[in-house]
Amino acid sequence: MNRLTIVTPDDWHVHLRDSPYLEAVVADTARQFGRAIVMPNLLPPVRTCNEAMAYRDRILAALPANSGFEPLMTLYLTDNTRVEDIEAASESGCIHGAKLYPAGATTNSDAGVTDLANLDAVLETMQKHRFMLQLHGEATAPEIDIFDREKRFIELSLERIRRNFPELPVVFEHITTRDAVDYVLASDACLAATITPHHLLINRNAIFNGGIRPHYYCLPVAKREHHRQALVAAACGGDARFFAGTDSAPHSKSAKESACGCAGIYSAHSALELYAEVFENAGDFGHFESFMSKNGASYYGLELNQGTVTLERREWTLPDSLPYPDSELVPFRSGERLRWKQVVDA
Ligand code: DOR
Ligand code: ZN
């Protein structure tokens, strides 16, 4: 097979940042995806409908001319999120969920939730409106080993959410472990998961290959090879509860290559091609379109996109870096060869 045409896909988890970084990255996502669930972890975070609408306007203004890309907005949950904000968001038509960051779990999560019990009324309201809960699924207690944080989150928090709010639709985002895959598979239709291209392509050895490799560091951190294999089986296996979410998270080269480098991998530059490589490595494109373009839309209750995108088999080399304000942006797999390339109309 030398050419692949699929319904225009969506990215069910992306970080677009804000001006001037927004302008540097949004075209990459808009070139490949019809829509994207946009993360609210700005500084300060996007906590209210008005803030989400204003951010949406900034994204639309930053798009290339004639782009049909649609940003799907989210709210950032805090200990003080008000039920009224959730009700307004669920009626807004352009806000498609609320994101739970356990406080301290990752970049810009300081304002996140310190105790799930603080969210009971909010989660009750979300369940009532069938308003999506997006989860950063990592337990944050300092004594928990970083490689066990996702598994512990399932035990300590996800179980509780599912038990107390069984009809609340949940997306367990950027899953990284066999434990998460198995938990989703054993669950019901109110739990789904996104999987990133980088967690499908690397295991934790990549972070330490011949020296410390900051451009492979993200959160949740990549795990052992058997976990990666479980993710590949989930993505390629056709179960409709798994779908694409890049978690593309740009940080400047200087912020990554530092004594305390930021967590985040910039994959938006070639996300489609990276996912295609995963399916090709697995030897089966049978469920590629479902994973990229159908499962997520169906779970979010949205129509499929109208158009199509095409990839062709053509070797090319990823750039070493991309332009980024005051610095550079190093894309995932920079300087390496990829086997698939999106065909972009002239
Ligand atoms: O690696 C990550 N980077 N994980 C996250 O959860 C946040 C993200 C970011 O915003 O940079
Ligand atoms: Zn993220």
Side-chain angles (χ1 to χ4, degrees):
M1 198 184 333
N2 291 318
R3 228 173 146 82
L4 283 167
T5 295
I6 58 170
V7 169
T8 302
D10 301 300
D11 184 348
W12 298 102
H13 179 130
V14 73
H15 298 266
L16 295 179
R17 310 302 192 208
D18 213 339
S19 291
Y21 309 101
L22 167 64
E23 285 78 3
V25 297
V26 71
D28 277 346
T29 294
R31 184 179 71 248
Q32 300 162 82
F33 296 101
R35 299 166 291 202
I37 287 281
V38 181
M39 286 298 113
N41 64 333
L42 304 182
L43 270 179
V46 178
R47 283 162 298 190
T48 64
C49 274
N50 284 345
E51 287 167 353
M53 306 289 204
Y55 183 30
R56 181 172 180 273
D57 288 343
R58 297 197 294 281
I59 296 168
L60 293 173
L63 285 170
N66 301 322
S67 170
F69 175 77
E70 185 188 352
L72 309 175
M73 308 312 293
T74 57
L75 295 187
Y76 183 113
L77 294 172
T78 72
D79 287 338
N80 304 313
T81 299
R82 298 175 323 156
V83 161
E84 301 86 78
D85 280 313
I86 297 298
E87 302 205 306
S90 80
E91 281 156 24
S92 71
C94 58
I95 306 178
H96 293 265
K99 172 76 185 242
L100 193 163
Y101 285 105
T106 186
T107 308
N108 299 349
S109 64
D110 294 351
V113 174
T114 59
D115 184 347
L116 265 183
N118 295 335
L119 279 188
D120 279 346
V122 162
L123 295 180
E124 192 68 53
T125 307
M126 290 174 66
Q127 175 171 251
K128 185 168 117 206
H129 293 278
R130 300 289 185 267
F131 191 62
M132 197 69 74
L133 175 68
Q134 291 114 357
L135 288 179
H136 183 105
E138 287 194 286
T140 53
E143 65 274 16
I144 299 176
D145 189 282
I146 189 167
F147 294 102
D148 295 335
R149 284 183 184 175
E150 186 169 280
K151 182 172 166 21
R152 296 295 286 150
F153 179 85
I154 295 171
E155 296 158 358
L156 297 171
S157 300
L158 186 50
E159 289 273 13
R160 179 190 192 279
I161 294 170
R162 303 266 25 247
R163 192 172 55 245
N164 293 353
F165 308 99
E167 288 170 40
L168 170 67
V170 177
V171 181
F172 192 176
E173 305 204 289
H174 45 56
I175 58 169
T176 60
T177 57
R178 176 178 295 279
D179 309 271
V181 169
D182 289 346
Y183 189 80
V184 171
L185 287 174
S187 191
D188 56 29
C190 287
L191 183 63
T194 58
I195 313 180
T196 76
H198 45 280
H199 290 114
L200 290 164
L201 287 165
I202 61 166
N203 63 34
R204 65 189 194 177
N205 283 353
I207 310 165
F208 308 103
N209 186 8
I212 189 102
R213 303 272 181 174
H215 297 292
Y216 292 114
Y217 173 58
C218 65
L219 290 170
V221 72
K223 307 295 191 300
R224 287 177 183 276
E225 174 62 10
H226 76 92
H227 291 296
R228 188 192 70 82
Q229 288 175 10
L231 299 175
V232 170
C236 301
D239 191 292
R241 291 169 292 180
F242 298 104
F243 40 88
T246 62
D247 197 14
S248 177
H251 291 278
S252 68
K253 183 176 180 186
S254 47
K256 295 283 297 171
E257 297 178 9
S258 147
C260 186
C262 293
I265 289 179
Y266 187 64
S267 60
H269 177 261
S270 51
L272 268 182
E273 290 97 341
L274 291 163
Y275 278 121
E277 195 136 317
V278 172
F279 280 74
E280 178 161 71
N281 292 344
D284 186 2
F285 278 107
H287 300 296
F288 182 58
E289 184 178 51
S290 316
F291 180 77
M292 297 303 304
S293 315
K294 294 184 172 171
N295 297 348
S298 152
Y299 191 69
Y300 270 86
L302 298 170
E303 300 288 313
L304 300 190
N305 290 314
Q306 291 287 324
T308 58
V309 295
T310 297
L311 295 169
E312 67 182 16
R313 183 191 295 283
R314 175 149 57 88
E315 283 233 354
W316 62 293
T317 304
L318 272 155
D320 290 334
S321 72
L322 303 162
Y324 204 60
D326 307 323
S327 181
E328 294 166 75
L329 181 58
V330 177
F332 181 58
R333 307 258 311 255
S334 63
E336 290 184 38
R337 310 278 294 165
L338 279 183
R339 297 193 296 271
W340 289 88
K341 184 100 183 82
Q342 185 183 6
V343 180
V344 181
D345 295 335

